[in-house]
Amino acid sequence: MDVRFAWMLCVLCLVITVRAFTQEGFKEVLLKQLGLSEVPKLHKRDLVDLVIPDHVKNKYISMLKRQRVKRRALPSLAGILRGIPGNAGEVLYSDTTTRQNLIFDMEGRIPKNSEVTMAELKLFKKPLDRANLPARQSHRPVSNARVSVYWVQRQHDGTNRTSLIDSRLVPIRESGWKNFDVTQAVHYWLRNKRREPMFLEVWIEGERVGSHASEMAKAVRFTSQDPKDKALGKPELVLYTLDLEDYGGPGDCKEEAVTGKSTCCRQKHYVNFRELAWTQYWIIEPAGYQAYWCSGGCLQPPSPLRRFGYGERACAVVESSPLPMMYLVKRGNRTEIEAAEFPNMIVEKCSCVTDG
């Protein structure tokens, strides 16, 4: 195939992708990539008692981390947040899971005209108290516990909805700081128009299915935000930011782009899966994402060149990246969860492309 033709075909695919960010266009692209003719008929009851299998959760997290590695370097440190004074950050126990609530006051913590490029949750694991370990039995050894961090979105009806942010195995017998990437949670908080604190939930579970692994995981203790917890090392949220005046992403739109007066640039466009009727029960993770689109005008070629077949130049996508997603599939009467990476879902770079 001719190289120039192949390049133009690639550009055409990306242009189609950018046009697809209307609701109907986005739906069409998603269904096509999944090989479906219509959106699965799913209801809220399909989510009841639904458990995300470990292999699906691990696959999704690994795809997320691979995507984050590609992001630009992190210069300045914005600040370290140590929770809201007076909030206990309660710890809840159940038969299979320990849950710890964390609350961080975010208002005024992110400098103006800056972008949060990374956020880390730092949790201090207390030294192991062997009194918390179950009695030794003839079980396969358990060395780790599964620790997952969720962003908690408080609904208007008083219920909570969670989104998985990061998950990793933590050695049960080791103490010290453990870091989790919660960049996605901060981006969700920034999208939330209700300016309330950011709520996170830490789940501690067995590294595998079974009562012995669950009992071993209960021995894992992190310091809490409770003032009565005298242990050193309170939970910390560390924010890294870019000053957009000095480090603004190349080609990102300024304010004038909204009025259509700018040259070709990348415009923010957020897709909220929780607010789209056809995705709210179908797509489990993420809650939404920054898709971007291309906006603005381009300098046109001089008229002599147009006689030789050069058409008008238009602002279009020339570089994009995939979006990892967890979604539900119906197989007969069974509802299952799958994870996949969908290409060309996030616009990374815009440029002027010549038609023809």
Side-chain angles (χ1 to χ4, degrees), residues 124-128 170-178 221:
F124 188 80
K125 184 180 175 300
K126 298 179 180 181
L128 178 66
V170 170
I172 292 174
R173 289 174 171 79
E174 290 181 12
S175 64
W177 289 102
K178 308 298 176 186
R221 297 281 193 272

Side-chain angles (χ1 to χ4, degrees), residues 65-355:
K65 288 182 176 177
R66 190 164 62 242
Q67 185 191 63
R68 289 166 187 163
V69 166
K70 297 176 184 175
R71 298 298 174 192
R72 57 193 168 202
L74 316 169
S76 59
L77 182 64
I80 299 176
L81 314 185
R82 292 192 172 86
I84 302 176
N87 279 292
E90 65 216 312
V91 180
L92 310 172
Y93 299 96
S94 68
D95 289 341
T96 58
T97 312
T98 299
R99 299 188 186 185
Q100 183 171 339
N101 294 327
L102 300 174
I103 308 171
F104 293 97
D105 183 8
M106 303 287 288
E107 198 65 42
R109 304 288 185 153
I110 301 170
K112 289 183 178 179
N113 199 31
S114 67
E115 176 186 333
V116 176
T117 55
M118 185 173 175
E120 277 188 328
L121 176 65
K122 300 181 64 164
L123 299 175
F124 188 80
K125 184 180 175 300
K126 298 179 180 181
L128 178 66
D129 183 352
R130 296 190 177 276
N132 294 325
L133 289 174
R136 186 184 295 271
Q137 298 175 19
S138 56
H139 292 282
R140 189 153 53 106
V142 174
S143 303
N144 304 297
R146 165 71 60 184
V147 180
S148 303
V149 180
Y150 291 81
W151 173 65
V152 181
Q153 183 180 21
R154 306 222 163 172
Q155 308 290 308
H156 291 289
D157 62 2
T159 61
N160 292 339
R161 187 156 190 184
T162 60
S163 292
L164 176 64
I165 301 300
D166 200 0
S167 181
R168 56 174 291 196
L169 292 175
V170 170
I172 292 174
R173 289 174 171 79
E174 290 181 12
S175 64
W177 289 102
K178 308 298 176 186
N179 297 348
F180 298 85
D181 185 342
V182 293
T183 312
Q184 198 176 6
V186 175
H187 288 169
Y188 287 158
W189 180 86
L190 288 168
R191 289 296 310 172
N192 192 351
K193 292 182 174 59
R194 292 176 292 162
R195 279 295 182 258
E196 59 186 9
M198 188 172 78
F199 300 93
L200 298 176
E201 202 166 72
V202 179
W203 292 23
I204 306 170
E205 304 165 279
E207 67 172 324
R208 60 174 183 264
V209 177
S211 59
H212 181 60
S214 296
E215 288 300 313
M216 288 291 290
K218 289 180 183 178
V220 172
R221 297 281 193 272
F222 292 108
T223 54
S224 71
Q225 292 176 333
D226 191 338
K228 296 175 184 175
D229 190 343
K230 300 299 183 182
L232 296 174
K234 297 292 184 186
E236 295 181 354
L237 181 65
V238 183
L239 304 178
Y240 298 84
T241 63
L242 281 174
D243 184 340
L244 294 181
E245 288 293 327
D246 300 324
Y247 297 97
D252 281 2
C253 294
K254 305 294 184 185
E255 287 299 321
E256 61 267 22
V258 180
T259 62
K261 295 177 182 177
S262 74
T263 54
C264 182
C265 59
R266 189 179 71 156
Q267 180 72 41
K268 286 185 178 180
H269 178 68
Y270 190 80
V271 177
N272 191 331
F273 292 139
R274 299 291 189 251
E275 292 180 358
L276 297 179
W278 58 275
T279 60
Q280 59 180 326
Y281 302 129
W282 181 25
I283 297 176
I284 304 296
E285 302 290 350
Y289 79 107
Q290 192 66 254
Y292 297 99
W293 60 27
C294 293
S295 170
C298 297
L299 289 174
Q300 299 304 320
S303 38
L305 285 177
R306 298 190 187 185
R307 297 196 199 107
F308 294 99
Y310 284 87
E312 288 193 358
R313 299 172 78 228
C315 185
V317 186
V318 293
E319 190 178 317
S320 64
S321 60
L323 176 71
M325 287 198 294
M326 276 199 294
Y327 53 92
L328 292 179
V329 289
K330 290 276 265 190
R331 292 193 171 92
N333 294 325
R334 290 183 300 125
T335 305
E336 297 178 0
I337 300 176
E338 290 187 356
E341 203 170 55
F342 293 86
N344 299 333
M345 300 295 280
I346 304 169
V347 176
E348 295 291 352
K349 190 175 181 182
C350 301
S351 188
C352 291
V353 177
T354 301
D355 181 16

